Amino acid sequence: MSRFSKPLAALSALTAGALLLTGCSGAASSEGAESQTVPLAVGITPIANAAHVYIAEEQGFFEEEGLDVTPTTIQTAATAIPSLFNDELQIALMASVPTVTAASKGLPIKVVGGSDRYPQDAKNDTTALIASADGGVESLKDLAGKTVAVVGLKSTPELALRVLLKNAGVDPDGVKTVEIGYPDMVPALETNRVDAAFIVDPFLSKAKSAGLELLGHPFTDGIGGMTALQWVASDAFTKEQPETIQKFTRAMDRAGKYANDNPEAIREALPKFTALTPELVKSSVLPVYDSALQTDDIQAFVELMTEEGFIDDGYNPEDLIWSAK
């Protein structure tokens, strides 16, 4: 078993149950005439990237499509994926790495649309790699033999970190990564439990105000421009409700474009589903939405993940992206 296999085991264990449950999809099923509003439970994480769901609701885009969308908070893909299969959720906003990991293990899911991309300019990046104040780490090269905290092992942050380290001439296998929750990262740095941490706002702002050292931006400098979050559904749901999928993706495309043209609408939406203070809402770096998605976007992650040992060699994502027939 690969040294990267343990985190994948949990997803693999879901496969048997998932296959049994796929026939249950269809909460937005044929409940009546075409004129009826279709209920849709949509899983999101409480970050700015999900604000366009609330914008779509506020602007009436869902209503115009005949959808009654209920946003539901999810914490990880490990919880979102089984919820898609048991019909607690019909669609979920998921990052590329857990999506590809699940698909490569045979879980019957489909990517039904794009959401946004990783920034290509550090000023638009809400994340950064931060070093402890007195740990002797002043550059990426100093991380050789050191310990770095990431929010999840074999996650997108760890993948981006490995790319960043390689670009800096540092062997990522010589850097130990440990899993620590975002709220605990700054205390871990301040007590020298770790030498560096991959931090996201609002904790990033706290780290900067504490005078901790900024080493780089793994998302921008490692995987900038690559697709970040996608809308994912079970394969069964896409077969049973293709028109519902089309309606949802149309509404989200409109919402993303509206949000890009009206950034204050994003700030107005943030208090509805995040714990950000008014001050942090005002200073938050906002996402740029992009619903375009091609197989090449997913293939780029497959190649990186295969190279870094996140998934086994040979996975072909050709059928992962759903398209209306």
Side-chain angles (χ1 to χ4, degrees):
M1 178 177 287
S2 161
R3 62 190 175 83
F4 297 103
S5 298
K6 187 176 180 182
L8 300 182
L11 278 175
S12 299
L14 293 172
T15 304
L19 291 171
L20 290 174
L21 289 168
T22 50
C24 301
S25 285
S29 62
S30 46
E31 296 184 11
E34 307 125 22
S35 60
Q36 284 191 330
T37 300
V38 178
L40 204 61
V42 175
I44 60 169
T45 50
I47 56 176
N49 306 64
H52 55 337
V53 174
Y54 293 85
I55 291 172
E57 178 67 28
E58 179 69 23
Q59 296 301 314
F61 299 152
F62 290 141
E63 183 178 6
E64 291 175 22
E65 293 288 354
L67 300 177
D68 180 13
V69 172
T70 301
T72 303
T73 299
I74 58 175
Q75 297 303 325
T76 66
T79 58
I81 291 174
S83 293
L84 291 172
F85 294 135
N86 65 25
D87 215 28
E88 291 177 357
L89 298 174
Q90 284 76 60
I91 300 174
L93 187 61
M94 291 174 45
S96 301
V97 167
T99 298
V100 171
T101 299
S104 73
K105 291 298 177 180
L107 294 185
I109 58 174
K110 292 288 187 183
V111 173
V112 300
S115 176
D116 58 284
R117 292 179 180 272
Y118 291 108
Q120 294 180 283
D121 188 330
K123 71 179 182 181
N124 297 323
D125 199 336
T126 60
T127 71
L129 186 63
I130 302 292
S132 60
D134 55 0
V137 176
E138 298 180 355
S139 71
L140 291 172
K141 290 188 178 297
D142 295 328
L143 287 175
K146 302 293 186 180
T147 300
V148 179
V150 292
V151 74
L153 299 179
K154 300 303 152 290
S155 62
T156 310
E158 184 175 2
L159 182 68
L161 172 65
R162 291 180 68 85
V163 175
L164 184 70
L165 290 171
K166 281 188 173 181
N167 291 345
V170 178
D171 180 3
D173 289 335
V175 177
K176 181 181 179 180
T177 53
V178 294
E179 184 173 330
I180 296 180
Y182 285 126
D184 299 320
M185 285 188 179
V186 172
L189 287 169
E190 292 176 331
T191 57
N192 292 317
R193 287 197 292 127
V194 297
D195 301 293
F198 192 165
I199 299 181
V200 64
D201 253 340
F203 310 104
L204 177 58
S205 298
K206 181 179 178 182
K208 289 179 178 178
S209 65
L212 302 181
E213 184 81 21
L214 191 152
L215 297 177
H217 295 87
F219 280 163
T220 297
D221 300 327
I223 56 176
M226 295 178 70
T227 181
L229 298 171
Q230 300 91 42
W231 295 107
V232 178
S234 72
D235 182 58
F237 184 75
T238 63
K239 292 175 180 176
E240 294 169 5
Q241 296 291 329
E243 291 184 1
T244 299
I245 296 291
Q246 288 178 290
K247 291 175 179 179
F248 177 79
T249 55
R250 274 199 303 265
M252 293 313 304
D253 181 63
R254 291 179 66 190
K257 291 175 180 175
Y258 183 91
N260 290 340
D261 293 338
N262 300 274
E264 284 309 307
I266 303 177
R267 299 190 194 280
E268 291 173 7
L270 290 178
K272 299 178 182 179
F273 68 107
T274 73
L276 295 178
T277 64
E279 293 76 18
L280 287 174
V281 167
K282 185 177 181 180
S283 62
S284 291
V285 176
L286 303 180
V288 176
Y289 297 103
D290 182 355
S291 63
L293 190 67
Q294 304 294 329
T295 300
D296 286 350
D297 291 314
I298 302 298
Q299 181 63 39
F301 268 99
V302 169
E303 291 173 3
L304 268 182
M305 292 169 67
T306 301
E307 180 181 340
E308 298 303 328
F310 280 42
I311 62 174
D312 294 334
D313 193 9
Y315 172 62
N316 185 347
E318 183 178 348
D319 297 326
L320 180 56
I321 298 179
W322 174 82
S323 61
K325 301 301 182 183

